[in-house]
Amino acid sequence: MRLALYQPDIPQNCGALIRLAACLGVGLEIIEPCGFLLDDKRLRRAGLDYHAQASLRRHSSWTAFQASRATEKAPQSRLLLLTTGGDRPYTDFAYAPGDILLLGRESAGVPAEVHAAADARLVIPVRADCRSLNVAQAAAMALGEALRQTGGFAACSPGTAN
């Protein structure tokens, strides 16, 4: 199971997702360009002290990310887009251990090309008078459900929430 961030805009959300990925033992893919400088100092600050524990890969573009997926030795993983334009609630989806949960830019989501490349478009239902959740909150919800379904929490020990 992996998370992928498409051109993240907000370093604090990126930091929260680095921490989430590190704590839950999932890989994190960052598809650039980002809306902030993505140097090691800023990543460490945004991710607190979890940067060293995160399995983080950077891709210079959407094309580079897709090329990386095509050359992986593991079986082709499914790309699952979390989007307000999704056609299936995230809780009604059957996840697999090799899935990649893709999250779009906070300000604009993903372009049509990326939307079309997704194997599934999942939505987190929210009240009609609300637009969307914070990207880090959405990732935590969907990743939690995916790990629950696939037994991915087995390697984690009970911890404390801070």
Side-chain angles (χ1 to χ4, degrees):
M1 189 72 55
R2 291 181 282 173
L3 289 174
L5 308 179
Y6 180 84
Q7 300 180 356
D9 290 324
I10 301 172
Q12 294 86 347
N13 286 338
C14 188
L17 290 164
I18 289 170
R19 184 175 181 171
L20 178 70
C23 288
L24 297 182
V26 301
L28 179 63
E29 315 272 340
I30 297 179
I31 303 163
E32 298 183 35
C34 297
F36 51 91
L37 293 177
L38 194 60
D39 62 19
D40 290 336
K41 180 181 175 184
R42 286 182 182 244
L43 268 180
R44 280 193 300 271
R45 182 175 177 188
L48 298 174
D49 55 346
Y50 291 90
H51 181 263
Q53 295 170 284
S55 175
L56 179 67
R57 291 193 317 184
R58 292 170 59 176
H59 305 277
S60 60
S61 65
W62 171 251
T63 302
F65 170 71
Q66 287 291 71
S68 171
R69 289 183 62 219
T71 61
E72 289 177 349
K73 303 247 190 273
Q76 187 69 4
S77 54
R78 296 182 301 177
L79 189 61
L80 312 177
L81 177 63
L82 291 174
T83 173
T84 57
D87 52 13
R88 177 189 277 179
Y90 81 104
T91 52
D92 292 348
F93 189 80
Y95 297 90
D99 287 342
I100 300 171
L101 300 174
L102 175 64
L103 297 113
R105 296 175 64 200
E106 293 90 343
S107 63
V110 299
E113 161 193 17
V114 175
H115 227 276
D119 297 298
R121 288 157 225 49
L122 307 176
V123 64
I124 297 174
V126 297
R127 291 180 7 191
D129 60 340
C130 297
R131 283 191 327 262
S132 65
L133 294 171
N134 170 284
V135 69
Q137 293 169 331
M141 290 175 69
L143 181 60
E145 176 63 15
L147 292 175
R148 183 192 69 77
Q149 285 186 24
T150 60
F153 284 122
C156 299
S157 62
T160 59
N162 291 335

